[in-house]
Amino acid sequence: MHTFSLTSASWRFRDAATKAWFPATVPGCVHTDLLAAGKIDDPFFGTNELQLGWIERKNWEYAAEFNVSNELLQNEVVELVSDGLDTIATVRVNGRTIGESDNMFVSHRWDVKPLLRAGKNQISVLFRSAVEYIENTRTEFTPPKEYCDPVGNSVRIRKQPCQFGWDWGPRLVTAGIWRDLRIEGWNKNRLAHVRITQQHDTDDDGSVILALAAELARPDKSVEIEATCWFEGREVARAKGNKDSLKLKIAEPKLWWPAGQGAQPLYDIVISGRLAGEEVGLIKKKVGLRTIVLDRHADQWGETFQFLVNGRPVFIKGANWIPPHSFVANLQRRDYERDLNAAVEANMNCVRLWGGGIYESEHFYDICDERGLLVWHDFMFACALYPSDRKFLDSVNREAIDQVKRIHHRACLALWCGNNEVPQLNGQYMREKPALRKGYEKLFHKLLPEVVARHDGTTAYWPSSEWRGVWESGHSLGEKSGDSHFWDVWHARHPVKDYEKWAFRFCSEFGMQSYSSSETNATFCPPDDGNIFGPSMENHQKNRLGNQVILDYVSRRYRLPKTQDDLIYLSQINQAYCMQTGVEHYRRLMPRCMGSIYWQLNDCWPVASWSSIEFTGRWKALQFAARRFYAPALICAHVDGDEEATIGNYRRSTIRKMHLYTVYDAPETARGILRWELRHFDGRLLEAAFQSVTLKPRQSVRQRTLDLALPLRDYGRDNLYVALSLAIDGVVMSRQTVFLAPPRFLRLPKGPISCAVKWLSPSEAVLKFRSKVFQHAVEFAAPGCPHNASDNYFDLYPNEAREITLKFNEPVAPRKFQKQLRIRSLTDTFD
């Protein structure tokens, strides 16, 4: 096979209504090309996004010249291959139309041999306005906005939904050649695809058999398929046969596990096809040997919803993933590594690839395979009702086949999910309009599961998130079966303690917004427009009531901040507190609840959002908290009563008892020491005790109950806190501070925090923090010295040192770091 990519050609683009051409990048998109050409200002800066709506109403043409060799033209078949065109595209070669596309998520092959000539050739791709397509196509399908069409009838087109705007993302409806475009020439036949399925424990020796089913461009039983399996540089299996009967037997297999459960060994599979001695294709895959099952069986609470990996139940600890950039074309591995590595560093074992974005690049799946991040994989449908006419369903069928065949072999792939929240947000309307429900079921209960069964055959399919197996709604159903999205905290502004009202089987969405740091905000705010209620910040707050809700929750918990930067800090520690409350509740419920996936891990641009990692890569307080509340060995407390019930009635307190839990999900049993201390904010240690505990995998155990009635009577709730820790082999694995009232009521002492810096190298340092008084949520920052810290936003106990390791992105001068170092705790934010 002869292959060459067209992405290296000298591409140019233009507004199709003009004659002015400009240089272009392929893969790429019109917004980034316009920016590079100096024709628009940075879409992320200030309110620039609002001035760029004209781009989505233009038709854009891309063109290039490329050379074709005589050798290529000697091939029997020469095809133009596209991995992705965004979106309403007409492709021409040497002035002749060869194909069209109206789906961003499908690949294409077009025969171009009759049109090519030796030497110079021309290719052009005309992209019609997606917005005008929407306005003139399927006009009879108009979901009412009150039933959630968040993106203005964009459901009429198969295109990345969040390009049209979301409550965390800008409206930047772009166009372009967003994935690889190449020429392929071949003779006789072509090895098009190989489906790989695994058979475990088929023999007494525990070997694994990989069954390979090859697809050829032309049916031909005389094509011989050969497959070789390599592991760590040595051949471990080889087989030859026809396209339907090839099996590789792998003796003494090394199993792949999610992060925290074991290693992630990957086997290299090389498959080739030969016809009459001539190679007709070569396919290489990396495969992890494992089984993943969505286990739903009857139990005492209803029906389980848990993932079994290699037969072992695994509690899912994760966050939701959105596209890592508003412009998804041509993203590189480094664009994914930062945040996916951060997920693993925060003890996560899963990301949910949300259905309003894209089917991700190979880089995403490579990293998830390598780092042990399971992928709950939505198809790209979110929130709104979708058409179900024959042409639309045919397009979706082709899209689903393309993506399932591309991704199905991945070790990380845990679940195919039909959509995000469509029945949850549109169930009532579908009950009123049976034809819409019938159309919905054609797509999500028939077409997609059939594609998964036919082209994957192993991975489970789930029709929607959330879904409980019935059309009725209500949180109580989520206590019995399926997965739940819980947004009473945030959207309905319920107390944070409401997380603890419901014993969900699996919670796949819940969240709380915060502001990005002032350092990140400075990347998009003009110097004179940084106020959170000003035009720039408002344009980077896409949730209609977002600022009000943040201020509502912050005001329930904290005192009035002195500065806007203090408000940003409070919004972040409030977000961390909210997610900690929810996650610890779900982990305490194990094994009734077997999953917690908060909204959301990352951002696609600098913005106020639910993310735990800012667009610039800076970890919010939540990301550091996630490292603690997702720790394999966790100590946490459940307080009887409600500290928030005291708001508006200062004298009333419902707290009497505190239950101490250990939660453990590492694969091997361990012994630990649980310590608890009741402390006074004036520095006195009032009570203390410790006990040995046995930590068994997948167990949540109430280890002790503290009766606080007498201390509360004698000292008052505003003067007390409880310090908890859990150590294994002398190393503290988990620690936590528990308050008995909202922090705004606490009599927190004020005092300085010292920090001694020990430099291990120009790129690594150890910070030792001390204070004579208790300090809550100690934050340190060093603007201009980007780094990765082992912890931040931590509690500092009186006269107890806390060491934090910093690894800098590049060498830093000690003097510069000391000059930039900023430290504060909660008491520094108010007078």
Side-chain angles (χ1 to χ4, degrees):
M1 181 180 291
H2 296 84
T3 300
F4 72 91
S5 176
L6 293 175
T7 59
S8 59
S10 296
W11 286 88
R12 53 185 186 153
F13 81 109
R14 65 170 180 167
D15 173 350
T18 72
K19 295 182 179 180
W21 291 90
F22 303 97
T25 298
V26 172
C29 73
V30 65
H31 285 79
T32 53
D33 287 334
L34 286 167
L35 181 62
K39 298 303 174 183
I40 61 172
D41 294 325
D42 181 359
F44 292 176
F45 193 77
T47 60
N48 290 347
E49 172 213 353
L50 304 179
Q51 317 307 319
L52 301 180
W54 60 271
I55 298 173
E56 68 185 38
R57 291 200 166 272
K58 297 285 188 177
N59 300 325
W60 298 96
E61 184 178 7
Y62 280 72
E65 292 184 343
F66 61 98
N67 288 315
V68 171
S69 66
N70 283 315
E71 182 184 15
L72 177 66
L73 293 177
Q74 297 307 309
N75 284 276
E76 181 182 342
V77 178
V78 181
E79 295 174 315
L80 176 66
V81 183
S82 163
D83 288 341
L85 300 172
D86 181 13
T87 295
I88 308 302
T90 301
V91 183
R92 295 184 178 91
V93 172
N94 292 331
R96 295 278 300 276
T97 297
I98 62 163
E100 296 183 335
S101 180
D102 62 359
N103 187 326
M104 179 180 179
F105 304 124
V106 299
S107 60
H108 298 275
R109 283 183 173 271
W110 293 295
D111 181 13
V112 292
K113 182 176 180 179
L115 302 180
L116 296 178
R117 51 183 176 259
K120 189 176 294 185
N121 292 261
Q122 294 83 35
I123 182 171
S124 69
V125 186
L126 177 66
F127 294 96
R128 289 197 291 126
S129 165
V131 173
E132 291 187 1
Y133 174 93
I134 290 166
E135 292 173 346
N136 295 287
T137 306
R138 298 187 178 93
T139 54
E140 73 286 352
F141 190 83
T142 308
K145 292 189 183 300
E146 63 266 27
Y147 289 99
C148 194
D149 176 15
V151 289
N153 291 326
S154 68
V155 293
R156 297 172 180 171
I157 190 174
R158 291 307 297 142
K159 182 174 172 66
Q160 178 185 345
C162 63
Q163 281 190 6
F164 296 87
W166 220 266
D167 57 1
W168 38 256
R171 182 183 175 102
L172 295 166
V173 183
T174 193
I177 303 168
W178 79 290
R179 285 195 166 150
D180 191 39
L181 189 67
R182 60 191 177 277
I183 299 287
E184 291 185 359
W186 50 275
N187 296 304
K188 297 181 181 178
N189 213 327
R190 178 176 57 84
L191 181 61
H193 172 67
V194 177
R195 176 183 168 191
I196 304 174
T197 55
Q198 303 183 21
Q199 302 169 20
H200 286 243
D201 299 325
T202 56
D203 296 316
D204 292 338
D205 62 3
S207 62
V208 171
I209 292 177
L210 298 181
L212 311 180
E215 292 182 15
L216 300 167
R218 297 169 174 170
D220 189 343
K221 293 183 179 180
S222 62
V223 174
E224 182 181 62
I225 307 297
E226 180 175 354
T228 309
C229 180
W230 300 78
F231 183 65
E232 295 182 341
R234 63 184 179 88
E235 182 181 311
V236 296
R238 179 185 290 267
K240 290 183 180 180
N242 65 43
K243 67 182 185 67
D244 298 317
S245 61
L246 205 62
K247 292 186 177 181
L248 290 168
K249 183 176 180 178
I250 302 175
E252 300 180 354
K254 307 296 183 184
L255 296 184
W256 184 96
W257 292 95
Q261 297 294 313
Q264 293 81 44
L266 296 172
Y267 288 73
D268 292 293
I269 313 296
V270 180
I271 309 107
S272 64
R274 302 192 75 85
L275 179 60
E278 183 177 333
E279 186 177 280
V280 294
L282 186 69
I283 292 176
K284 297 180 180 181
K285 302 287 185 184
K286 285 187 178 291
V287 174
L289 305 181
R290 88 295 181 266
T291 60
I292 301 178
V293 175
L294 176 61
D295 175 41
R296 297 164 54 215
H297 70 264
D299 67 2
Q300 60 183 307
W301 300 292
E303 180 183 83
T304 62
F305 193 97
Q306 63 179 351
F307 290 91
L308 308 182
V309 182
N310 301 322
R312 179 191 300 170
V314 173
F315 187 96
I316 297 300
K317 303 183 293 186
N320 283 263
W321 175 269
I322 65 170
H325 201 284
S326 292
F327 305 123
V328 295
N330 206 29
L331 294 178
Q332 303 301 308
R333 182 180 170 100
R334 64 180 177 273
D335 299 308
Y336 292 92
E337 281 182 316
R338 186 194 71 190
D339 293 350
L340 291 174
N341 285 342
V344 176
E345 290 168 13
N347 295 305
M348 297 183 196
N349 58 23
C350 180
V351 288
R352 173 175 171 244
L353 199 162
W354 170 76
I358 60 171
Y359 302 93
E360 276 294 358
S361 82
E362 299 301 324
H363 301 304
F364 172 87
Y365 304 104
D366 285 345
I367 297 166
C368 290
D369 281 350
E370 294 162 11
R371 299 305 309 272
L373 284 171
L374 296 170
V375 176
W376 169 313
H377 203 305
D378 286 4
F379 286 92
M380 294 304 112
F381 302 90
C383 297
L385 288 168
Y386 285 81
S388 59
D389 59 87
R390 185 72 267 155
K391 185 177 179 182
F392 187 86
L393 293 179
D394 286 346
S395 182
V396 171
N397 183 67
R398 185 175 172 187
E399 164 191 328
I401 291 172
D402 271 6
Q403 301 302 333
V404 171
K405 288 168 67 172
R406 181 172 71 96
I407 300 164
H408 84 280
H409 70 285
R410 291 291 187 169
C412 61
L413 182 63
L415 182 72
W416 288 109
C417 181
N419 69 76
N420 173 77
E421 294 184 346
V422 175
Q424 177 184 355
L425 297 173
N426 299 275
Q428 177 63 35
Y429 192 59
M430 284 192 277
R431 282 189 286 271
E432 297 170 1
K433 304 284 186 179
L436 287 176
R437 175 168 162 178
K438 183 178 179 180
Y440 172 90
E441 291 178 333
K442 281 183 183 179
L443 179 50
F444 298 109
H445 288 254
K446 188 176 188 302
L447 187 154
L448 291 178
E450 287 179 355
V451 169
V452 170
R454 188 164 65 251
H455 296 282
D456 182 317
T458 301
T459 310
Y461 174 83
W462 191 241
S464 178
S465 183
E466 66 178 15
W467 179 247
R468 286 79 174 267
V470 295
W471 283 94
E472 289 76 16
S473 60
H475 294 323
S476 60
L477 292 170
E479 297 185 302
K480 299 173 183 176
S481 63
D483 75 304
S484 296
H485 293 188
F486 185 72
W487 285 103
D488 286 2
V489 178
W490 177 262
H491 284 303
R493 302 200 197 187
H494 285 199
V496 177
K497 195 77 170 174
D498 274 18
Y499 283 120
E500 297 175 355
K501 283 186 175 181
W502 306 100
F504 296 131
R505 305 313 304 262
F506 194 109
C507 197
S508 46
E509 263 198 40
F510 57 104
M512 174 62 59
Q513 262 203 17
S514 69
Y515 296 112
S516 288
S517 64
S518 295
E519 193 173 1
T520 292
N521 294 342
T523 66
F524 68 83
C525 281
D528 60 348
D529 190 24
N531 190 289
I532 61 169
F533 296 118
S536 293
M537 286 289 286
E538 278 283 2
N539 192 53
H540 290 74
Q541 166 57 276
K542 293 299 185 181
N543 186 264
R544 185 169 54 88
L545 297 175
N547 286 340
Q548 290 88 334
V549 180
I550 290 176
L551 293 176
D552 184 3
Y553 279 100
V554 166
S555 68
R556 298 182 199 184
R557 190 160 176 81
Y558 305 106
R559 300 186 190 183
L560 185 68
K562 292 187 290 188
T563 68
Q564 178 170 289
D565 195 57
D566 290 331
L567 174 60
I568 291 169
Y569 161 85
L570 294 181
S571 78
Q572 290 201 11
I573 64 173
N574 173 72
Q575 180 191 34
Y577 161 74
C578 294
M579 294 301 92
Q580 176 185 337
T581 302
V583 169
E584 290 184 353
H585 169 62
Y586 299 134
R587 292 191 72 186
R588 284 195 301 269
L589 287 172
M590 184 172 62
R592 182 173 184 175
C593 177
M594 284 299 287
S596 159
I597 306 178
Y598 68 74
W599 186 269
Q600 67 206 66
L601 181 68
N602 59 321
D603 280 328
C604 68
W605 75 321
V607 66
S609 80
W610 297 264
S611 72
S612 55
I613 304 174
E614 297 174 8
F615 182 68
T616 57
R618 186 184 186 276
W619 286 24
K620 292 182 178 179
L622 170 55
Q623 187 70 12
F624 288 100
R627 181 183 274 170
R628 296 190 283 267
F629 60 60
Y630 276 149
L634 174 70
I635 178 69
C636 62
H638 178 239
V639 179
D640 271 354
D642 186 356
E643 65 171 43
E644 292 188 354
T646 63
I647 294 174
N649 187 346
Y650 180 78
R651 292 183 177 85
R652 182 163 64 91
S653 178
T654 63
I655 295 174
R656 290 293 182 271
K657 294 182 178 181
M658 180 183 297
H659 308 294
L660 308 186
Y661 284 78
T662 57
V663 182
Y664 189 67
D665 60 18
E668 303 293 337
T669 298
R671 297 280 298 174
I673 301 295
L674 182 159
R675 298 181 183 274
W676 69 272
E677 299 175 342
L678 179 65
R679 294 173 176 247
H680 195 288
F681 285 126
D682 66 9
R684 283 180 288 168
L685 177 61
L686 303 177
E687 296 179 22
F690 70 90
Q691 69 183 66
S692 297
V693 293
T694 299
L695 305 171
K696 294 183 178 181
R698 300 178 299 282
Q699 282 195 358
S700 167
V701 179
R702 182 189 290 189
Q703 300 285 3
R704 194 181 187 105
T705 295
L706 308 182
D707 189 338
L708 301 174
L710 289 179
L712 286 169
R713 183 198 67 188
D714 294 343
Y715 300 102
R717 56 160 202 171
D718 301 346
N719 296 305
L720 302 177
Y721 66 100
V722 177
L724 307 174
S725 69
L726 176 63
I728 299 176
D729 296 330
V731 178
V732 175
M733 309 301 291
S734 178
R735 52 165 57 92
Q736 188 172 140
T737 306
V738 185
F739 296 144
L740 305 176
R744 69 191 183 104
F745 292 139
L746 300 178
R747 296 189 175 94
L748 296 171
K750 290 195 174 190
I753 300 171
S754 67
C755 178
V757 183
K758 179 181 179 181
W759 289 91
L760 305 181
S761 75
S763 298
E764 186 172 2
V766 175
L767 277 57
K768 183 180 287 188
F769 294 88
R770 283 183 180 273
S771 177
K772 292 182 179 180
V773 301
F774 172 79
Q775 303 277 2
H776 177 54
V778 175
E779 178 210 40
F780 65 90
C785 305
H787 60 267
N788 186 298
S790 61
D791 202 3
N792 207 338
Y793 302 91
F794 52 86
D795 287 345
L796 192 59
Y797 299 133
N799 300 310
E800 295 183 16
R802 187 71 179 275
E803 290 191 350
I804 307 297
T805 300
L806 266 62
K807 294 183 178 180
F808 296 93
N809 296 5
E810 56 186 32
V812 173
R815 180 178 294 181
K816 176 183 178 182
F817 176 75
Q818 291 283 9
K819 183 178 180 181
Q820 293 298 108
L821 182 62
R822 305 286 186 271
I823 304 170
R824 67 175 155 192
S825 72
L826 179 60
T827 56
D828 297 313
T829 67
F830 60 85
D831 293 318

